[in-house]
């Protein structure tokens, strides 16, 4: 919630224009200027006493930040709109408006006219009315299955959006808890024929599950519940007596899990006990169980299939064994045929039962998946063989020809393929598993008395850490929670979170991130963000959401999957019919028919081969597996990519718009030089200046005060007293220090104060401006005595990044709100030719729109605060922000290390990932285009080559495995060699 509020505040702060501007309607969304009041109305009193109202709309159909921009633009065109913000993650739009000038239904119409479905949410806006639920879906085999489940979930009343990912076998559902419950969602999935397991709900964000021991009566349970309900900050309590499980929702700023355990154990000393409930239902155990299920099924199928294979294809060439197998039992029924029938039946109906249930579930909902093809193919082979055997047993002259080895070997090879596929798919989500493993299991809790003296240390479960706890971090240990250092000095390796390889120095007041490693020295850390609020948890959630999101190119596979299986069944039947009719009417020489077959059996084999060689799985896995691996690799490189949409757009980028402050520069002004115009000690000069500036909140004033601290003799020395302090907005400050009138500010302030600026000072100011520095004049008793040059230094390697982008044929543009002189100087220093200066936030977004309309694919790189309108408008928004700022809603990609070189990494990774997706599709489509005709027998007339059904089944199993393995090769991604030899040039500050 904090990050969402932060994002919304960013949107509000960007709206400063009070006039209506002409909005240019175009296919590209942008972030227009936002009028405070309706046209022709400026002061609040002219609104006729109309109170500003807040309303919330549910908006379905938004898929990316560009969609959110379109919704906002449509709303802000209406008169009477004060503010509007669309949240693409929650599928909502929040609007502040004046009811006297615009009605809610007009806003609703505007959203719908923009191409989205909208409805008014009638509720208290302060209450949470949207939760995200994650389910594990078992039994999905191809995109047809995932599409079926997704459409069913989206049809449930109260569901605002649902995404089902085949690769992760999970569903992410955003729903209104007032309209639908989790049990209803589970029922909806179960009705489709698939098994649903609850992973988490939005309510779990601040929820703890405790295991109760020693509490066995209803009365004791009620006493525990009432005792906990009395605690401040406890929202809800639920008890599951079956598992002795207690679930508590709470406000982490008021209470925490240790308080709950203390209350429970204080009720019955030595009798009652509470511990963290071990769910035991994580992703890894479930994945491992699925792998073992396929492994066991494959092994059991081999037990029966190998004898079937030997009796039909090997023993027939050994005279003694062939004589035994050809021994007749009843009429023409032989020992070998009966043996193969008995051995193949368990494979068909027990081991292969999963394919029957999968086919039934699919057909019941009007779709067809891979299980349908397998069931049809193996049944055709099995039941024709049964017919052949039964006819031989009842006839004295019919020679049976069975295909029992075809059905049993088909099932065995498909199970082997599924086993290898699940094994490979498990490795695509290694990034999340590694991130989750970063959190330490235990932490050392420190307890202090009222005077700040240490009372005792205690090792606790890290999940029991509460906000404001003091945690001790030993050298080599992991930081257990986000927080800030209150004692000690050390270096912390943050590479596992931010991707930054160099250890970061930490001292009192510095922030630390949970999961990072303390290298030397002991630290005492006060926890500020615990549990789901931590940076690590946010990163995990972001990567999980990214892996769930579908790339636009995946729609191609989804469209094909609707018609793929029915088309394959039609082709299979047509193949059988064509070969059968041609053989019936002697359309080919009898020599073509193998000695052990007739024309019907030959046609049947061609038809079955076509049915089992087609593989819809490969198409369905082509995009999501590559996106999963790509986003995981990005997270390990310090680049958080918010899903397939961002990946697909980033590889097309040919123009990048850079903000200046905090993006190209470090974002923190520092004093770089001081020029005195009067003979005096520099320490005395800075004492006077710092005394005047210490009361100012301006960043330049803080830079001067920070620099002045270097001249202190004592650490705790205070500045001289400043009287009659006056801050002149946008110009500087005035004060009386030691009976001297001190003025610190720009040239305009000096002229207004009737102070003559000497020509020498003018030259220094011009020189500073040419060096992209800000010149600050200092006067004492009406005379200019010095010039302070302040600069926001360039980030290391900024020039190299721009140079590399030029070599990649990517155009770079600087758009900043700073003055033209500074902007031109910075641009010249880094090598950017196109500069837009003195631009307001909405003007930045309009510039992005202009570039898009000229045919460029634009990425915006900014700090995610006043750049949020441009980040929304751009095709790809890249936010500079480390660690705890990873949830900036406006951006598509977050560069956690705040390094410009990661812009190149993001673009290069997206290109590599998208090329892998293309390769997957080429393989998946090419395999089917080439494999199906070969299975249908197009090579048979000219070469005599035909593809037996069991080999076709093996090829089908191998195709989906090959696609997953192709995606897994992305794990070997390395940054461009140009970045590996990156030469960082430092900055020397005087």
């Amino acid at each position: 919630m904090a990050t969402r509020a932060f994002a919304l505040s960013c949107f509000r702060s960007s709206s400063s224009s009070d006039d209506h501007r002409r909005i240019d309607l175009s296919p590209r969304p942008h972030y227009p200027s936002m009028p405070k009041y309706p046209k022709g109305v400026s002061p609040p009193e002219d609104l006729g006493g109309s109170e500003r109202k807040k309303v919330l709309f549910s908006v379905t159909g938004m898929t990316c930040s560009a969609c959110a921009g379109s919704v906002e633009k449509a709303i802000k065109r209406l008169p009477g709109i004060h503010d509007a913000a669309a949240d693409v993650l929650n599928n909502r739009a929040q609007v502040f408006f004046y009811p006297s000038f615009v009605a809610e239904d007009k806003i609703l119409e505007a959203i719908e006219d923009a191409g989205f479905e909208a409805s008014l949410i009638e509720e208290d806006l302060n209450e949470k009315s949207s939760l995200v639920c994650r389910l594990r879906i078992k039994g999905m085999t191809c995109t047809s299955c995932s599409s079926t489940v997704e459409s069913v979930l989206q049809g449930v009343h109260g569901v605002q959006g649902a995404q089902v990912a085949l690769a992760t076998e999970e569903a992410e559902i955003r729903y209104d808890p007032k309209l639908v419950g989790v049990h209803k969602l589970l029922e909806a999935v179960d009705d489709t024929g698939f098994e649903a397991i609850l992973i988490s709900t939005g309510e779990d964000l601040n929820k703890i599950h405790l295991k109760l021991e020693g509490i066995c009566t209803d009365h004791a349970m009620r006493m525990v519940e009432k005792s906990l309900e009395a605690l401040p900050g406890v929202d809800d309590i639920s008890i599951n007596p079956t598992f002795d499980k207690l679930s508590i929702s709470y406000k982490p700023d008021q209470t925490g899990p240790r308080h709950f355990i203390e209350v429970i154990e204080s009720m019955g000393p030595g009798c009652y006990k509470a511990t963290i409930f071990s769910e035991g239902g994580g992703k890894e155990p479930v994945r491992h169980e699925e792998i073992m299920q396929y492994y066991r099924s494959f092994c059991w199928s081999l037990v029966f299939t190998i004898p079937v294979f030997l009796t039909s294809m090997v023993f027939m060439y050994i005279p003694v064994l062939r004589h035994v197998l050809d021994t007749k039992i009843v009429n023409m029924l032989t020992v070998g045929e009966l043996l193969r029938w008995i051995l193949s039946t368990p494979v068909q109906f027990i081991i292969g039962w999963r394919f029957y249930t999968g086919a039934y579930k699919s057909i019941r909902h009007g779709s067809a998946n891979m299980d349908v093809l397998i069931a049809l193919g193996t049944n055709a082979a099995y039941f024709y063989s049964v017919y052949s055997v039964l006819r031989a047993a009842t006839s004295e002259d019919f020679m049976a020809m069975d295909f029992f080895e075809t059905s049993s070997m088909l099932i065995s090879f498909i199970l082997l393929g599924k086993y290898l596929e699940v094994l490979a798919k498990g490795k695509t989500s290694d990034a999340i598993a590694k991130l989750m493993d970063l959190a330490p299991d235990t932490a050392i809790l420190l307890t202090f008395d009222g005077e700040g003296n240490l009372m005792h240390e205690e090792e606790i479960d890290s999940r029991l850490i509460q906000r404001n706890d003091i945690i001790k971090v030993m050298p080599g240990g992991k930081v257990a929670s986000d927080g800030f250092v209150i004692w000690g000095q050390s270096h912390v390796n943050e590479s596992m979170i931010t991707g930054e390889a160099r250890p970061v120095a930490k001292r009192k007041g510095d922030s630390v991130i949970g999961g990072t490693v303390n290298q030397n020295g002991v630290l005492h850390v006060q926890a500020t963000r615990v549990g789901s609020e931590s940076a690590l948890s946010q990163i995990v959630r972001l990567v999980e959401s990214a892996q769930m999101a579908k790339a636009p190119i995946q729609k191609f596979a989804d469209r094909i999957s609707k018609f793929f299986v029915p088309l394959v069944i039609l082709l299979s039947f047509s193949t059988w019919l064509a070969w059968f009719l041609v053989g019936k009417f002697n359309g080919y020489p009898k020599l073509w028919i193998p000695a052990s077959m007739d024309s019907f059996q030959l046609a049947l084999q061609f038809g079955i081969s076509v049915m089992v060689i087609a593989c819809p799985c490969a198409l369905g896995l082509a995009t999501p597996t590559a996106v999963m691996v790509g986003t995981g690799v990005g997270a390990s490189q310090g680049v958080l990519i918010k899903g397939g949409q961002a990946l697909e757009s980033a590889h097309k980028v040919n123009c990048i718009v850079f903000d200046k402050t905090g993006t190209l520069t470090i974002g923190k002004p520092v004093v770089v030089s001081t020029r005195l115009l009067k003979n005096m000690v520099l320490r005395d000069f800075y004492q006077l200046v710092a005394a005047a500036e210490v009361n100012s909140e301006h960043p330049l004033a803080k830079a001067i005060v920070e620099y002045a601290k270097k001249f202190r003799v004592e650490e705790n020395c205070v500045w001289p007293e400043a009287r009659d302090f006056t801050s002149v907005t946008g110009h500087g400050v005035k004060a009386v220090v030691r009976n001297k009138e001190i003025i610190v500010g720009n040239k305009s302030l000096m002229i207004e104060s009737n102070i003559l600026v000497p020509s020498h000072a003018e030259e220094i100011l011009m020189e500073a401006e040419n060096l992209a520095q800000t010149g600050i004049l200092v006067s004492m008793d009406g005379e200019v005595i010095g010039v302070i040059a302040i600069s926001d230094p360039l980030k290391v390697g900024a020039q190299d990044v721009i140079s590399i982008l030029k070599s990649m044929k990517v155009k770079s543009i600087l758009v900043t709100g700073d003055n033209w002189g500074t902007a031109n100087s910075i641009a010249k220093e880094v090598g950017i030719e196109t500069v837009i200066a003195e631009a307001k936030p909405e003007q930045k977004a309009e510039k992005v729109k202009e570039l898009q309309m000229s045919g460029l694919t634009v990425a915006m790189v900014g700090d995610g605060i006043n750049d949020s309108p441009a980040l929304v408008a751009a095709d790809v928004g890249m936010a500079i922000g480390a660690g705890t700022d990873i949830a900036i809603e406006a951006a598509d990609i977050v560069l956690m290390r705040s390094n410009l070189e990661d812009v190149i990494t993001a673009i290069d990774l997206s290109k590599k990932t998208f090329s892998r997706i293309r390769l997957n599709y080429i393989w998946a489509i090419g395999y089917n285009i080439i494999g199906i005709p070969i299975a249908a027998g197009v090579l048979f007339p000219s070469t005599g080559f035909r593809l037996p059904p069991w080999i076709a089944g093996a090829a089908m199993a191998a195709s989906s495995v090959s696609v997953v393995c192709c995606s897994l090769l992305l794990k070997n991604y390395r940054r461009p060699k140009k970045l590996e030899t990156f030469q960082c040039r430092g900055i020397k500050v005087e």
Side-chain angles (χ1 to χ4, degrees):
M1 287 298 292
T3 52
R4 188 170 296 119
F6 168 70
L8 290 175
S9 67
C10 297
F11 281 77
R12 294 188 195 103
S13 64
S14 65
S15 309
S16 58
S17 176
D18 290 340
D19 61 319
H20 268 295
R21 298 177 184 268
R22 181 180 62 86
I23 298 175
D24 186 13
L25 298 177
S26 69
R28 294 285 188 184
H30 74 291
Y31 197 100
S33 59
M34 187 164 58
K36 292 287 183 185
Y37 307 109
K39 187 175 182 180
V41 179
S42 51
E45 53 269 19
D46 288 350
L47 291 170
S50 173
E51 281 191 16
R52 194 172 71 190
K53 186 178 179 183
K54 179 168 68 173
V55 69
L56 196 64
F57 294 93
S58 172
V59 183
T60 55
M62 293 192 297
T63 58
C64 62
S65 54
C67 299
S70 298
V71 171
E72 290 169 3
K73 180 180 73 173
I75 296 171
K76 292 169 188 172
R77 292 177 59 207
L78 298 172
I81 300 296
H82 178 267
D83 202 342
D87 183 357
V88 69
L89 294 180
N90 292 310
N91 293 313
R92 299 210 168 176
Q94 182 173 276
V95 184
F96 293 85
F97 69 105
Y98 296 96
S100 301
F101 293 88
V102 64
E104 293 168 355
D105 58 342
K106 287 292 184 185
I107 302 173
L108 197 67
E109 283 179 20
I111 298 172
E112 290 174 345
D113 289 342
F116 302 90
E117 294 180 9
S119 60
L120 179 65
I121 299 177
E122 297 284 353
E123 60 177 13
D124 182 2
L125 292 173
N126 294 320
E127 294 183 14
K128 181 184 283 189
S129 58
S130 179
L131 294 177
V132 176
C133 167
R134 295 179 72 87
L135 306 179
R136 183 169 291 111
I137 312 293
K138 298 179 69 175
M140 296 190 298
T141 57
C142 62
T143 50
S144 176
C145 302
S146 58
S147 298
T148 299
V149 176
E150 192 172 287
S151 61
V152 168
L153 285 171
Q154 288 175 342
V156 176
H157 178 62
V159 171
Q160 298 158 352
Q163 287 184 323
V164 179
L166 174 65
T168 58
E169 296 181 343
E170 291 182 6
E172 186 176 271
I173 308 142
R174 188 166 295 280
Y175 66 101
D176 188 337
K178 295 184 178 181
L179 300 178
V180 63
V182 173
H183 68 281
K184 199 75 174 173
L185 302 176
L186 293 170
E187 286 177 10
V189 176
D190 290 338
D191 288 343
T192 64
F194 299 97
E195 183 183 353
I197 302 171
L198 179 64
I199 300 174
S200 66
T201 71
E203 295 169 336
D204 295 333
L205 292 180
N206 290 313
K207 177 181 279 190
I208 190 74
H209 306 283
L210 300 178
K211 173 77 173 178
L212 301 178
E213 297 177 14
I215 302 174
C216 54
T217 64
D218 291 340
H219 174 71
M221 283 286 193
R222 283 196 297 273
M223 289 300 295
V224 168
E225 186 175 2
K226 289 182 180 299
S227 299
L228 291 173
E229 283 177 346
L231 291 176
V234 173
D235 292 332
D236 183 55
I237 298 175
S238 61
I239 298 175
N240 187 336
T242 307
F243 298 102
D244 294 328
K245 177 181 175 183
L246 182 70
S247 300
I248 309 167
S249 297
Y250 64 97
K251 295 182 175 66
D253 55 336
Q254 296 183 33
T255 187
R258 283 205 320 283
H259 290 157
F260 308 145
I261 293 175
E262 288 170 8
V263 168
I264 293 170
E265 295 183 351
S266 66
M267 294 180 61
C271 299
Y272 295 170
K273 190 176 180 182
T275 56
I276 298 290
F277 187 87
S278 179
E279 297 288 345
K283 185 181 290 187
E284 282 309 306
V286 172
R287 180 75 69 186
H288 179 71
E289 178 59 29
E290 187 179 15
I291 291 170
M292 292 309 299
Q293 282 180 1
Y294 276 114
Y295 177 75
R296 287 192 293 266
S297 297
F298 172 64
C299 290
W300 275 110
S301 70
L302 286 183
V303 170
F304 296 98
T305 300
I306 290 174
V308 173
F309 172 76
L310 293 174
T311 57
S312 63
M313 296 188 179
V314 178
F315 293 165
M316 301 307 293
Y317 298 99
I318 303 174
V320 177
L321 294 177
R322 180 173 182 175
H323 177 72
V324 174
L325 293 173
D326 285 345
T327 302
K328 294 180 175 57
I329 301 174
V330 179
N331 290 331
M332 299 298 289
L333 176 64
T334 65
V335 172
E337 290 163 355
L338 182 61
L339 192 61
R340 287 192 290 274
W341 185 10
I342 293 171
L343 289 170
S344 64
T345 299
V347 179
Q348 183 70 33
F349 295 109
I350 299 176
I351 298 171
W353 184 250
R354 66 175 69 237
F355 302 118
Y356 285 97
T357 56
Y360 168 73
K361 294 170 186 175
S362 178
I363 293 171
R364 196 178 75 173
H365 288 277
S367 62
N369 61 7
M370 188 192 75
D371 290 333
V372 174
L373 297 179
I374 297 170
L376 286 174
T378 56
N379 278 335
Y382 179 84
F383 284 108
Y384 174 78
S385 301
V386 171
Y387 159 76
S388 181
V389 168
L390 291 176
R391 186 174 175 187
T394 57
S395 173
E396 296 180 358
D397 56 0
F398 180 79
M399 291 290 293
M401 173 60 191
D402 66 87
F403 296 137
F404 286 121
E405 81 285 348
T406 296
S407 64
S408 56
M409 289 175 71
L410 258 176
I411 289 173
S412 296
F413 275 113
I414 289 165
L415 287 173
L416 174 62
K418 293 298 291 182
Y419 166 69
L420 295 174
E421 180 186 320
V422 173
L423 204 63
K425 278 163 62 179
K427 296 179 180 179
T428 60
S429 55
D430 280 353
I432 291 179
K434 289 177 181 177
L435 282 170
M436 295 178 75
D437 288 342
L438 292 177
D441 296 326
T442 61
I444 301 174
L445 177 67
L446 303 180
T447 305
F448 295 86
D449 59 19
E451 297 178 358
N453 300 314
L454 178 64
M455 295 176 61
H456 68 274
E457 300 180 4
E458 179 187 3
E459 188 173 39
I460 62 171
D461 189 314
S462 60
R463 292 171 293 182
L464 295 178
I465 297 175
Q466 299 176 186
R467 193 175 292 176
N468 297 323
D469 280 348
I470 309 299
I471 305 299
K472 181 180 181 180
V473 187
M474 301 296 290
K478 290 182 178 180
V479 179
S481 169
D482 290 7
F484 60 90
V485 178
I486 62 170
W487 180 87
Q489 293 186 23
S490 182
H491 283 80
V492 176
N493 185 348
E494 298 183 340
S495 61
M496 61 285 297
I497 300 292
T498 66
E500 177 57 60
R502 293 184 296 273
V504 182
K506 299 292 181 182
R507 61 179 64 185
K508 184 177 179 180
D510 290 340
S511 62
V512 290
I513 305 171
T516 55
V517 178
N518 180 26
Q519 292 194 332
N520 49 37
V522 178
L523 295 176
H524 290 181
V525 175
Q526 183 170 346
T528 55
R529 297 191 180 193
V530 296
S532 60
E533 298 176 333
S534 68
L536 182 59
S537 296
Q538 291 185 45
I539 292 171
V540 169
R541 284 203 302 274
L542 189 58
V543 175
E544 284 180 336
S545 296
Q547 293 183 347
M548 288 290 299
K550 292 183 179 180
I553 194 173
Q554 195 172 338
K555 294 176 183 176
F556 168 71
D558 292 342
R559 283 194 296 268
I560 291 178
S561 68
K562 293 179 182 178
F563 312 104
F564 188 87
V565 174
L567 180 62
V568 168
I569 294 172
L570 181 62
L571 286 173
S572 174
F573 178 77
S574 301
T575 299
W576 168 80
L577 186 62
W579 277 103
F580 175 69
L581 292 176
V582 171
K584 193 76 172 174
F585 295 104
N586 300 316
Y588 57 80
K590 295 292 184 182
L591 294 173
W592 286 12
I593 305 175
S596 58
M597 295 186 187
D598 58 23
S599 61
F600 176 83
Q601 293 166 341
L602 180 66
L604 183 62
Q605 279 215 344
F606 280 128
I608 294 173
S609 293
V610 170
M611 190 171 294
V612 297
I613 200 172
C615 186
C617 287
L619 276 170
L621 294 170
T623 298
T625 53
V627 169
M628 284 179 70
V629 179
T631 51
V633 168
S636 67
Q637 298 274 349
V639 178
L640 290 184
I641 303 169
K642 297 183 180 179
Q645 170 76 45
L647 266 175
E648 186 166 340
S649 299
H651 89 281
K652 303 175 186 175
V653 168
N654 50 20
C655 176
I656 298 183
V657 176
F658 288 96
D659 177 44
K660 181 182 76 70
T661 306
T663 303
L664 289 175
T665 64
I666 63 173
K668 184 179 179 181
V670 293
V671 175
V672 292
S673 68
T674 308
R675 303 283 287 275
L676 296 179
L677 305 182
K678 182 180 179 181
N679 290 324
M680 65 185 303
V681 178
L682 193 60
R683 184 181 65 194
D684 295 339
F685 171 81
Y686 269 106
Q687 276 196 335
L688 296 172
V689 175
E693 291 279 29
V694 74
N695 295 314
S696 174
E697 289 296 319
H698 197 280
L700 297 182
K702 290 182 178 180
I704 292 173
V705 173
E706 192 66 29
Y707 186 75
K709 290 179 182 178
K710 295 180 180 181
F711 299 97
R712 284 181 169 183
V713 178
E714 299 176 14
E715 181 66 26
N716 297 322
C717 181
V718 296
W719 304 114
E721 182 185 358
R723 295 180 288 107
D724 301 330
F725 173 81
T726 305
S727 176
V728 183
T729 305
H731 294 282
V733 298
K734 298 178 180 180
V736 175
V737 181
R738 290 176 178 170
N739 297 320
K740 295 180 175 63
E741 185 185 18
I742 305 297
I743 300 177
V744 185
N746 56 19
K747 183 179 176 181
S748 299
L749 181 60
M750 298 299 163
I751 294 172
E752 287 178 9
S753 304
N754 297 318
I755 297 173
L756 177 66
V757 179
S759 59
H760 184 45
E762 294 264 17
E763 291 173 4
I764 296 173
L765 288 176
M766 290 290 293
E767 182 183 335
E769 188 171 311
N770 291 333
L771 294 173
Q773 298 169 356
T774 302
I776 304 294
L777 296 170
V778 180
S779 75
M780 181 174 66
D781 292 334
E783 179 186 0
V784 175
I785 61 171
V787 181
I788 301 172
I790 298 178
S791 174
D792 183 3
L794 278 178
K795 285 186 175 175
V796 290
Q799 302 97 325
D800 297 314
V801 169
I802 301 302
S803 176
I804 293 172
L805 288 172
K806 282 182 180 177
S807 68
M808 295 169 64
K809 297 183 179 178
V810 177
K811 183 179 182 181
S812 298
I813 296 174
L814 175 62
V815 178
T816 177
D818 212 335
N819 63 73
W820 281 98
T822 304
N824 283 323
S825 180
I826 289 288
K828 185 178 179 181
E829 192 171 349
V830 298
I832 293 178
E833 297 174 358
T834 307
V835 181
I836 306 294
E838 299 177 5
K840 294 179 180 178
E842 62 271 17
Q843 291 171 333
K844 291 183 181 181
E846 288 169 2
K847 180 60 183 177
V848 168
K849 179 182 176 300
E850 289 174 15
L851 293 168
Q852 289 171 331
M853 292 186 69
S854 67
L856 295 171
T857 302
V858 182
M860 172 69 194
V861 184
D863 58 14
I865 302 174
N866 61 343
D867 299 312
S868 53
L871 289 169
V872 169
D875 296 285
V876 181
M878 297 187 187
I880 297 284
T884 53
D885 291 331
I886 56 99
I888 299 174
E889 303 252 354
D892 302 301
I893 297 175
V894 180
L895 311 178
M896 293 196 297
R897 297 188 299 184
S898 298
N899 287 348
L900 281 176
E901 62 196 79
D902 288 338
V903 172
I904 297 169
T905 302
I907 294 174
D908 184 67
L909 177 60
S910 71
K911 287 182 177 179
K912 294 285 197 309
T913 304
F914 205 75
S915 67
R916 191 67 58 180
I917 292 172
R918 281 203 191 101
L919 189 61
N920 284 347
Y921 274 125
I922 289 171
W923 165 249
I925 295 172
Y927 161 82
N928 285 293
I929 290 174
I930 296 171
I932 290 175
I934 291 175
V938 295
L939 300 180
F940 187 66
S942 58
T943 64
F945 175 79
R946 64 186 176 88
L947 206 61
W950 64 272
I951 294 180
M956 183 271 284
S959 66
S960 55
V961 175
S962 63
V963 164
V964 178
C965 291
C966 183
S967 295
L968 282 174
L969 291 176
L970 273 172
K971 295 180 81 171
N972 300 321
Y973 171 80
R974 294 290 179 270
R975 298 195 310 165
K977 289 183 179 179
K978 293 177 181 178
L979 294 183
E980 296 300 331
T981 57
F982 208 71
Q983 298 297 320
C984 294
R985 294 189 287 274
I987 301 168
K988 291 184 179 179
V989 179
E990 188 182 292

